[in-house]
Amino acid sequence: MCERPGNLRQIKVVERASLGTLFEAIEEEGYTIVGPTVREQTIVYDVLDSPDDLPVGWTDEHAEGTYRLARRDDDALFGYVVGPHTWKKYLFPPRIRLWSASRTSQGFEVNEEHRDLPKYAFLGVRACELNAILVQDNVFLKGPYIDPVYKSRRRNTLIVAVNCTQAGGACFCVSMDTGPKASGNFDLALTEVIEDGRHYFTIEVGSDRGREILGRVTGKDATKAETASAETAVSRAESQMGRVLDTKDIKEVFYNNYNHPRWDEVEKRCLACANCTMVCPTCFCTTVEDTTDLSGGQVERWRRWDSCFTTDFSFIVGGSIRQSTRSRYRQWITHKLATWIDQFGTSGCVGCGRCITWCPVGIDITEEARAIREKEPVDTSAGAEP
Amino acid sequence: MGFAPGQFNMIYVPGIGEVPISISGDPVDPIPVIHTVRAAGTVTTALCKMKAGDVVGIRGPYGSHWPVRESAGNDIVIVAGGIGLAPLRPAIYQLLSQRDHYGRLAFLCGTRTPREILYRHELEKWRSRFDLDVEITVDHPGEDWYGRVGVVTTLIPLAGVDPFDTTALVCGPEVMIRFTVAKLRQRGISTDNIYVSMERNMKCGIGLCGHCQYGREFVCKDGPVFPFSRIERFFKIREL
C-alpha cells in the first residue's frame, strides 16, 4: 500500500532516453514490472522488460462495441487509454486454487496452499484504474471478512500511475470524479509530455517507497515550465472527454426505477455475454468449483471470476432468481451505480468505459443511466405495500 | 460452537460442494451442532446419503439472527412455512429457556402435507404446554389428518397477541412471507417488528462472492434475518 509522505510535491523530470533507469530502479527493489504492451492487436497488461515493450507509437480507438489500435504520429509510450485487461487480474486472479485435501481413514486432511507471492510493480495505472483498485480495497479489505489472497498481493504491489493526456472514445472519468489525473494513493505518477521535438516525463512522488526509487532514476528537478506543460497535457484529456454520466441523486434514480420500461428495451439488445463484468476493473463476483480426481481421494476447491449475467449466478432450489436478461442487466447497472454506494460508500463505477467498448452490441452505461433518469416514469413499486 | 438463532453454517461435502444451511439446534446447548437438511440439490443429496462417522467440512456461524433477546417483554408470534421452521427452532428453544421474559408466545406452522411436518415429536410436546400456543395447518391433508387445513396465514388471527408489543419472526418461501407480512400488518404489527429470513444463492457466506445480493443487502452478512421494514422497498420487485 502507498503511504502519503509529508512532501507530496517533489516532481522530477526524466527524459525518454533515461526512462530505462526507472525500470532498473524498480527491478532493483525486487519487483516484477507489469504494464501495457501490444499483443494480438490490443494493449494488454503483461510483464515488461524495458520501455521498448510499451505500446510505442500506438493509440487505441474506442466506441460502443468497437476497439482498434492505430498508429500515432509520434512515439508516445502512453498514448492510448485503456485496453481489455485490468489490474485486478494480478490482485484478484481470475482462477485460483483455494485449497486441496486428501482423503484419509478418518475423513480428509486439508493441505496448506503454498503460494508464490508475486511482487508486482504496476506501471501505467490510469487514474480511473487507481480508483478501481481503491474500490476493490473497500470490498476485499474493509469488511468484517478480509480476502487473504487480495490482501497479500495488494500489500506487495508498487503503483506507478500514468496521468492521461488524452481521453478515449468511451471515457467518462470526469463524471465519476476519478480522473484523468491520479490524485494520491500511488507510489509514483508519471505525465508524458511530447513538445517541440522533446519527449520527457514529469514524475511525482506519492510515497516514501516511490521517493527512494525515484532517487535512483536519471533526471533533474522539474522546472515550472515543464510542470505547466504536464498540467496542460492532462487538462487536454479532461476537455476531450465526450461522455457524461450524471451522478446527481443517482442512488434514488435507480432505486425508484426497478420497473422502468427501459429494462425491457435493453433486454432486446443485451446478450448476457458477461463481457462487461469481465473487463470491469471493480466487478468482484466469484464462484467456487469443487473437483475430485477419479478415485475421489484428492479434492480441490478453486475460485474463479463469475458474472451476474449468468443464469446460474442466482440459482437457488426451485430455480434462478434472475431468469430474464432484463433483471440481470438491471442488477449489474443498479449495483454499479446505486447499491454499491450503500454497500461500500462509493460508486462501483470509475468511468473507464471498458463495458461500453467491449460490449459486443455496444450498450453504453452512460446512455442507459440517462434513459432511466430522463424518462423516469411514475413508479410506486419501491416502498409500496407487499 | 456458540451461535445465535437464525444463523447458518457453510457445510462442505468433500469434492462435491458447499451449501449454507441454517442451524436448527439449541443455542443454549449448542453441541452437537444440529442442522436440518432436505435433499434438494447435489450437495444436500450427498449430505443426506451420509452415514454416522462420515466427515464434512463446516465453517460459521454466519449472518444476522432473530431478535430474541432484544424482544424481551414482548409477545412473540412465530410463523413457519415448511422447512422454514428449521432456522426458527433455535429461537423457540431460546424463548422457552427464558419463558418468563416474554408475554404470549404463539407458534404458527404450515406445511404442504402432513408428511412434511418437521420435528413432530417436539411439536406435540410444545403443544401440550400451557405457556405456548401451537397451531399447525396443512395445505393438502391426507385421510389420516384431523387437524387444520389451509395456508399458514389462516392461523394468524388465532395468535392472540398485543399488536403494539409484538415481535413476529417469519420464515418460509417468499410467497408465504409476502402474505404473512400483509396479514400481520393487518393485525397492526409494525414492519419494524416483523423479522423475515431471506434465501439467496451463496458461495462464500462472508460477503465477498457477490451471489447473495438482494438490492443493497448481502443476504449472507447483512441477513439472512432482516426487519421487514429494511427490505420492504425491494421485497415486491420481481427477479431481484
Side-chain angles (χ1 to χ4, degrees):
Chain A
M1 298 260 187
C2 321
E3 319 83 44
R4 269 171 186 277
N7 173 18
L8 267 174
R9 291 301 296 171
Q10 185 191 337
I11 297 181
K12 196 166 184 175
V13 162
V14 176
E15 300 296 329
R16 163 66 183 92
S18 304
L19 196 66
T21 62
L22 173 66
F23 278 63
E24 287 155 20
I26 293 171
E27 280 165 354
E28 276 167 22
E29 298 285 318
Y31 291 101
T32 302
I33 300 177
V34 290
T37 191
V38 174
R39 195 199 303 148
E40 291 169 7
Q41 296 169 49
T42 54
I43 292 170
V44 298
Y45 295 148
D46 206 342
V47 175
L48 305 178
D49 291 330
S50 78
D52 297 334
D53 290 339
L54 292 164
V56 183
W58 287 102
T59 191
D60 48 1
E61 295 170 354
H62 294 254
E64 297 88 342
T66 300
Y67 175 89
R68 294 286 183 277
L69 286 195
R71 275 287 172 197
R72 295 174 59 91
D73 53 13
D74 59 22
D75 284 333
L77 306 184
F78 299 99
Y80 64 94
V81 192
V82 288
H85 284 191
T86 66
W87 303 100
K88 78 177 178 185
K89 72 172 183 166
Y90 294 112
L91 296 174
F92 166 51
R95 199 159 179 271
I96 192 165
R97 188 168 65 198
L98 295 175
W99 47 267
S100 60
S102 317
R103 223 174 253 288
T104 65
S105 52
Q106 272 81 43
F108 62 99
E109 198 174 293
V110 175
N111 311 318
E112 191 83 21
E113 202 62 37
H114 296 290
R115 300 184 200 283
D116 290 332
L117 193 56
K119 190 176 171 188
Y120 289 121
F122 293 173
L123 191 143
V125 180
R126 299 300 189 181
C128 58
E129 299 182 308
L130 190 49
N131 277 281
I133 292 170
L134 301 181
V135 167
Q136 287 209 327
D137 285 353
N138 277 337
V139 174
F140 290 125
L141 305 177
K142 307 281 169 69
Y145 298 96
I146 297 219
D147 185 76
V149 173
Y150 185 90
K151 185 182 174 186
S152 58
R153 287 168 170 250
R154 175 73 169 99
R155 198 170 38 195
N156 253 5
T157 300
L158 183 88
I159 292 187
V160 182
V162 172
N163 295 316
C164 288
T165 54
Q166 67 184 56
C171 295
F172 56 102
C173 66
V174 171
S175 295
M176 305 315 290
D177 197 21
T178 57
K181 188 179 193 314
S183 59
N185 293 295
F186 52 76
D187 294 287
L188 294 170
L190 278 63
T191 307
E192 183 172 35
V193 181
I194 301 175
E195 59 179 7
D196 308 329
R198 188 176 161 215
H199 188 176
Y200 64 92
F201 298 86
T202 61
I203 305 185
E204 186 183 341
V205 169
S207 73
D208 291 337
R209 197 162 56 167
R211 187 192 315 278
E212 266 174 49
I213 288 168
L214 192 59
R216 296 200 301 277
V217 176
T218 306
K220 55 183 178 41
D221 286 343
T223 63
K224 271 194 178 144
E226 287 160 341
T227 313
S229 291
E231 277 165 14
T232 307
V234 174
S235 59
R236 187 169 61 223
E238 194 162 337
S239 60
Q240 278 176 357
M241 204 142 314
R243 269 173 227 272
V244 176
L245 197 154
D246 180 2
T247 57
K248 186 173 177 292
D249 300 328
I250 192 148
K251 214 172 73 179
E252 290 306 313
V253 167
F254 279 91
Y255 283 1
N256 291 332
N257 283 291
Y258 275 99
N259 291 327
H260 198 289
R262 184 72 176 191
W263 305 124
D264 295 324
E265 197 279 329
V266 75
E267 180 175 61
K268 293 177 189 151
R269 292 175 285 141
C270 177
L271 308 176
C273 71
N275 264 17
C276 49
T277 54
M278 296 295 108
V279 296
C280 177
T282 67
C283 272
F284 61 85
C285 289
T286 54
T287 188
V288 282
E289 288 168 345
D290 292 286
T291 62
T292 63
D293 64 358
L294 285 176
S295 72
Q298 292 291 323
V299 300
E300 292 189 345
R301 177 152 251 243
W302 289 78
R303 180 175 84 178
R304 66 165 173 78
W305 290 357
D306 201 1
S307 171
C308 53
F309 280 91
T310 68
T311 319
D312 274 358
F313 188 85
S314 61
F315 183 83
I316 58 173
V317 170
S320 292
I321 302 282
R322 296 184 205 111
Q323 298 271 349
S324 68
T325 301
R326 168 193 192 276
S327 69
R328 289 180 237 156
Y329 185 82
R330 181 183 68 185
Q331 165 63 24
W332 177 74
I333 192 173
T334 305
H335 187 214
K336 281 289 137 191
L337 297 176
T339 52
W340 205 298
I341 299 170
D342 273 335
Q343 293 170 349
F344 302 109
T346 67
S347 176
C349 175
V350 295
C352 73
R354 283 181 177 86
C355 57
I356 303 171
T357 300
W358 296 96
C359 176
V361 296
I363 296 172
D364 173 358
I365 187 173
T366 67
E367 186 190 334
E368 297 311 315
R370 193 174 308 116
I372 295 293
R373 179 190 292 278
E374 285 177 1
K375 292 177 219 150
E376 193 171 335
V378 180
D379 181 355
T380 54
S381 68
E385 304 243 335
Chain B
M1 190 178 78
F3 72 96
Q7 289 193 298
F8 65 93
N9 284 320
M10 296 297 290
I11 304 180
Y12 169 77
V13 182
I16 294 182
E18 197 182 35
V19 282
I21 306 277
S22 67
I23 307 169
S24 51
D26 184 350
V28 183
D29 187 13
I31 301 296
V33 180
I34 295 176
H35 288 279
T36 304
V37 181
R38 177 177 59 177
T42 325
V43 181
T44 48
T45 301
L47 270 173
C48 290
K49 282 185 184 156
M50 285 188 148
K51 300 182 295 291
D54 286 349
V55 174
V56 297
I58 190 160
R59 57 191 178 94
Y62 295 126
S64 61
H65 58 84
W66 301 110
V68 176
R69 286 189 203 291
E70 297 83 342
S71 302
N74 276 11
D75 290 351
I76 309 284
V77 54
I78 291 175
V79 191
I83 200 160
L85 175 54
L88 283 166
R89 189 162 79 149
I92 298 173
Y93 284 131
Q94 197 172 23
L95 287 164
L96 293 179
S97 75
Q98 295 186 302
R99 180 62 191 87
D100 56 341
H101 290 201
Y102 303 92
R104 294 192 67 157
L105 293 189
F107 169 44
L108 316 175
C109 175
T111 62
R112 239 172 285 169
T113 66
R115 263 193 68 218
E116 285 154 7
I117 297 173
L118 292 174
Y119 323 127
R120 218 170 169 142
H121 189 67
E122 205 161 35
L123 292 189
E124 274 161 21
K125 219 166 63 191
W126 285 341
R127 227 181 147 161
S128 66
R129 290 178 70 131
F130 293 108
D131 58 356
L132 171 64
D133 300 330
V134 178
E135 298 292 347
I136 298 167
T137 184
V138 300
D139 298 349
H140 307 293
E143 284 174 4
D144 56 348
W145 177 255
Y146 299 98
R148 294 178 187 280
V149 175
V151 292
V152 73
T153 46
T154 58
L155 302 178
I156 289 170
L158 304 175
V161 293
D162 173 0
F164 298 107
D165 291 304
T166 291
T167 304
L169 315 179
V170 183
C171 186
E174 252 176 70
V175 60
M176 169 268 180
I177 293 177
R178 185 162 83 233
F179 286 105
T180 301
V181 169
K183 206 69 169 208
L184 291 168
R185 287 171 63 145
Q186 273 176 23
R187 308 291 295 177
I189 301 172
S190 144
T191 53
D192 289 335
N193 292 330
I194 301 174
Y195 288 79
V196 302
S197 184
M198 296 297 296
E199 184 189 3
R200 282 296 181 269
N201 184 303
M202 287 182 198
K203 295 294 182 196
C204 74
I206 54 176
L208 298 178
C209 79
H211 281 256
C212 70
Q213 283 180 84
Y214 176 59
R216 62 193 162 200
E217 315 290 351
F218 288 90
V219 173
C220 70
K221 66 174 175 145
D222 303 320
V225 176
F226 295 98
F228 189 75
S229 54
R230 178 164 162 176
I231 56 168
E232 194 168 0
R233 70 184 300 183
F234 300 105
F235 190 78
K236 82 174 250 191
I237 299 161
R238 291 176 65 91
E239 294 191 282
L240 193 69

